[in-house]
Every structure is written in structure tokens, then in C-alpha cells.
């Protein structure tokens, strides 16, 4: 599924979204998962380097709950590490599509908190359910799921252009609530999947989505002050409007 959110007004520059995108891409390109750095070797050497890299920077639930040195920070570092090109591009596509509008509505600080907190707790939630797993968990999916949940609350009626494989990739426009609830429904069957093999951490997606929706709900009532001209008997002056 490929999506594109459409808005009519001109948004402010989404600096946090762009910074996260750039950081994830740079981290991936200099790491062994990209396969671009010859110093990691090839074949078995590259595979061993990737395994060690993911174990160092990703979440390993069994190590996390046993309090091994450095493991307590991995739910944060894992947000910027991706397993392969498809993993990276898929996450960055969704962040690019839904991040800018969400950042503008929440504000940069709240958006950054939403990304980090929901991502951290999503990975922590997965690790709690699979506490004895030795599989490393990496990726920004939990955090980006949080952004999707926030977007659903903030822009439920926004028009989203979607390309679905089973509809022959025809570009169709749907309300955001329909697209995102469909995406959520796709995640749910995988929540109970076994954790003894590599795969997609659907539980982290579900937790992140729910947390992001709740985060936006809490922040929604905060007033936003917008500069606008005010005309009175004395002439035209600049005033504040609360919307």
C-alpha cells in the first residue's frame, strides 16, 4: 500500500520530520545492513557483522529485562536502525507522507515527543510480551505507527491517495480514517505471531498506533496562536488570534 496525504494550504517546514528522515538514512548507509561499506566484508563476514550490529543497537528482550550494560538505551537507539533497504524505504515513505502535517498540527516539540515516546514504549511493550526472546528488534515502525495514530485523530477526514496491489495499483482517494484503520486491521492478525524467528513486530505497530492516537487526543485541546491583521477605528495593527 502506497499513500499520499493531500492538503490545500502551504505548511511550515517540517524540520523534525526531515531530521528523523535524514538520521535514519545516514545511520543505515554507514551501517552493515546497507552493504555499501566494504570494510564489513561480504558473504558470511557481512552477515556476522549485521547480526552483531543489530544485537548492539537493537532491542533484545532477554537482555533488556536482565539489565545487561547498555541494553536499557536500546529501545531508543533501535528507532534509528533498519534491517534492509525495503525496511528503511517503507518506514520513511510513511513518515514522509504523514509526518509533516502531524508535526505542523502538534508543533515541533510535541511531535518529537510523540515520535520518541511512542516508539520507545512500543518497543518496550513488545519486549515485555516476548520477554525471553533472543531475537533483536530494530526499526522506526513503532514510532511511525504512533505518528499514524496521531494523524488519524488530527486529520480523520483528510483525503489520502492510495495505491493498493489488489486494486491493480489504481490511484484512489479515501478518507484518512478508512486508510489508517485498514492499515491497523492488517497489523492485528500478526500480533500473536511467534517470536522465535525473524519477522515483523506487529505488536509494536499496534501499541505505537494506539499510543500515538492517545497522545494526539491529549494535545488536541491546546490553543494555537496565529498572527493576523486586526482592523479598528485607529487603523490596521497586528494582533493575536487563538484558534
Amino acid at each position: 500500500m502506497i499513500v499520499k496525504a493531500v492538503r490545500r494550504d502551504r505548511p511550515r517546514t517540517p524540520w523534525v520530520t526531515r531530521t528523523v528522515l535524514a538520521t535514519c538514512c545516514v545511520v543505515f548507509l554507514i551501517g552493515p545492513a546497507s552493504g555499501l561499506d566494504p570494510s564489513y566484508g561480504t558473504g558470511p563476514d557481512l552477515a556476522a557483522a549485521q547480526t552483531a550490529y543489530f544485537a548492539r543497537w537493537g532491542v533484545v528482550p532477554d537482555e533488556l529485562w536482565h539489565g545487561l550494560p547498555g541494553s536499557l538505551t536500546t529501545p531508543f537507539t533501535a528507532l534509528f536502525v533498519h534491517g534492509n533497504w525495503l525496511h528503511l524505504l517503507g518506514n520513511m515513505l510513511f513518515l514522509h507522507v504523514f509526518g509533516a502535517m502531524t508535526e505542523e498540527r502538534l508543533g515541533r516539540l510535541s511531535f518529537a515527543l510523540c515520535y520518541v515516546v511512542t516508539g520507545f514504549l512500543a518497543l518496550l511493550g513488545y519486549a515485555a510480551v516476548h520477554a525471553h526472546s533472543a531475537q533483536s528488534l530494530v526499526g522506526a515502525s513503532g514510532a511511525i505507527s504512533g505518528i499514524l495514530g496521531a494523524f488519524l485523530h488530527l486529520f480523520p477526514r483528510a483525503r489520502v491517495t492510495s495505491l493498493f496491489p489488489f486494486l491493480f495499483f489504481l490511484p484512489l482517494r479515501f478518507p484518512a480514517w478508512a486508510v489508517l484503520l485498514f492499515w491497523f486491521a492488517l497489523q492485528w492478525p500478526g500480533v500473536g505471531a511467534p517470536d522465535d524467528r525473524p519477522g515483523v513486530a506487529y505488536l509494536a505497530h499496534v501499541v505505537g498506533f494506539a499510543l500515538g492516537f492517545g497522545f494526539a487526543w491529549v494535545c488536541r485541546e491546546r490553543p494555537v496562536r496565529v498572527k493576523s491583521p486586526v482592523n479598528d477605528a485607529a487603523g490596521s495593527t497586528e494582533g493575536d488570534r487563538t484558534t
Side-chain angles (χ1 to χ4, degrees), residues 18-196:
R18 291 185 178 183
T19 300
V20 173
L21 275 163
T23 301
C24 289
C25 290
V26 169
V27 169
F28 179 79
L29 291 175
I30 64 177
S34 69
L36 299 178
D37 189 344
S39 66
Y40 290 109
T42 59
D45 291 336
L46 178 60
Q50 291 173 347
T51 300
Y53 184 79
F54 297 148
R56 172 63 182 87
W57 301 108
V59 177
V60 180
D62 186 58
E63 295 180 359
L64 178 65
W65 299 120
H66 285 86
L68 296 182
S71 61
L72 296 180
T73 63
T74 56
F76 173 74
T77 59
L79 296 178
F80 302 95
V81 178
H82 290 82
N84 52 53
W85 284 94
L86 184 61
H87 188 201
L88 173 74
L89 295 176
N91 278 344
M92 296 304 100
L93 172 63
F94 274 86
L95 179 59
H96 171 72
V97 170
F98 295 101
M101 290 174 63
T102 306
E103 179 180 344
E104 183 179 8
R105 178 62 62 88
L106 289 178
R108 290 168 182 162
L109 178 59
S110 294
F111 178 83
L113 287 175
C114 180
Y115 183 89
V116 173
V117 172
T118 58
F120 188 97
L121 293 179
L123 294 178
L124 203 63
Y126 179 92
V129 173
H130 303 289
H132 300 292
S133 174
Q135 290 288 339
S136 57
L137 178 64
V138 297
S141 300
I144 294 173
S145 298
I147 300 304
L148 299 185
F151 188 96
L152 175 62
H153 181 78
L154 298 171
F155 306 100
R157 296 180 178 85
R159 306 301 293 181
V160 178
T161 301
S162 308
L163 301 178
F164 294 95
F166 58 84
L167 294 178
F168 305 102
F169 292 98
L170 293 176
L172 303 175
R173 297 182 68 189
F174 299 96
W177 66 265
V179 174
L180 293 177
L181 289 181
F182 176 75
W183 175 89
F184 183 84
L186 291 179
Q187 312 306 306
W188 190 257
V191 168
D195 65 321
D196 57 352

